[in-house]
């Protein structure tokens, strides 16, 4: 039986698609909360591996309007220690549902101007369906569960703190690998 390398440290049969790294491993699962601008290229580089046939991403940006009002900027705050702990739980759940190799969650805090990136999710996997479905699951889980708060500042001088949005996670029940 011919073997193939998986992430350079496992030897597996060629026809075997593992539920890779069932537990969160910071070598493959990258978490960052930062006031600095985020880079989609850097996020993709963190999950890129020769075993990956797919890298899927989500990049959330600050839009210029919300409910017909002009947005000037967003301001984010996070409880980073709790966010990291919850993110690890979420990634563990994703690893149980999908055959994924690596994950990235990078989120801005502080001021984020219109057009700038607020959040990046990246996932690598051997096959596209796992990467695409895992990204969808991860961003929905982030929006529903992470202690990250957003304040919208509008051009009329008003501002509004946004609660974590309700997400129907049942949509992910039928997308298991």
């Amino acid at each position: 039986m011919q073997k193939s390398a998986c992430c350079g440290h496992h030897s597996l049969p060629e026809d075997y698609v593992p539920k890779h790294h069932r537990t969160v491993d910071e070598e493959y699962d990258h978490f960052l909360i930062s006031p600095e601008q985020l880079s989609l290229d850097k996020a993709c580089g963190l999950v890129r591996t020769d075993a990956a046939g797919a890298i899927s991403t989500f990049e959330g940006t600050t839009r210029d309007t919300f409910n017909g009002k002009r947005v000037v900027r967003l301001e984010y705050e996070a409880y980073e220690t709790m966010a990291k702990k919850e993110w690890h739980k979420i990634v563990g759940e994703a690893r149980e549902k999908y055959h994924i190799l690596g994950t990235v969650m990078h989120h801005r805090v502080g001021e984020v101007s219109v057009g700038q990136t607020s959040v990046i999710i990246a996932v690598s996997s051997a096959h596209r369906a796992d990467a695409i479905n895992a990204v969808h699951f991860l961003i929905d889980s982030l929006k529903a569960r992470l202690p990250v708060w957003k304040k919208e500042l509008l051009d009329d001088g008003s501002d509004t703190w946004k609660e974590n949005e309700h997400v129907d996670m049942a949509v992910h029940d039928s997308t298991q690998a």
Side-chain angles (χ1 to χ4, degrees), residues 2 12 14 17 23 26-28 33 38 50 54 79 86-87 93 98 103 117 129 137 144 147 153 157 164:
Q2 195 173 22
L12 301 168
E14 276 189 318
V17 180
T23 60
E26 291 189 13
E27 183 178 350
Y28 301 101
I33 291 181
L38 304 178
D50 289 346
Y79 183 176
E86 188 64 22
W87 183 252
E93 292 167 19
Y98 308 106
T103 67
T117 301
F137 174 81
L153 291 98
N164 285 359

Side-chain angles (χ1 to χ4, degrees), residues 20-169:
H20 195 75
H21 302 287
R22 286 184 182 264
T23 60
V24 176
D25 182 336
E26 291 189 13
E27 183 178 350
Y28 301 101
D29 300 303
H30 304 274
F31 174 90
L32 175 70
I33 291 181
S34 173
E36 304 299 321
Q37 288 194 17
L38 304 178
S39 166
L40 187 59
D41 286 341
K42 189 176 288 186
C44 288
L46 289 170
V47 297
R48 189 172 306 282
T49 173
D50 289 346
I55 295 174
S56 186
T57 63
F58 173 83
E59 181 177 14
T61 59
T62 302
R63 61 180 172 262
D64 64 356
T65 57
F66 183 75
N67 287 340
K69 296 182 180 180
R70 185 66 87 202
V71 174
V72 175
R73 70 178 180 277
L74 302 178
E75 292 180 2
Y76 286 93
E77 292 184 10
Y79 183 176
E80 188 170 350
T81 305
M82 184 183 283
K84 185 173 186 175
K85 189 175 186 178
E86 188 64 22
W87 183 252
H88 284 175
K89 289 180 190 174
I90 292 166
V91 169
E93 292 167 19
R95 288 191 173 286
E96 287 298 317
K97 291 174 72 68
Y98 308 106
H99 302 285
I100 57 180
L101 300 170
T103 67
V104 163
M105 192 291 293
H106 290 174
H107 206 299
R108 287 277 300 271
V109 289
E111 293 184 7
V112 183
S113 299
V114 170
Q116 290 186 340
T117 301
S118 300
V119 62
I120 293 173
I121 303 290
V123 174
S124 62
S125 65
H127 304 285
R128 71 180 176 275
D130 286 310
I132 291 166
N133 291 328
V135 166
H136 187 194
F137 174 81
L138 291 170
I139 192 62
D140 280 357
S141 297
L142 177 154
K143 297 294 264 178
R145 296 169 47 186
L146 247 58
V148 176
W149 303 279
K150 171 174 70 174
K151 181 166 72 169
E152 289 181 335
L153 291 98
L154 307 174
D155 70 348
D156 65 5
S158 65
D159 59 58
T160 305
W161 282 100
K162 299 293 188 175
E163 294 182 25
N164 285 359
E165 60 186 65
H166 172 73
V167 177
D168 180 8
M169 296 302 289

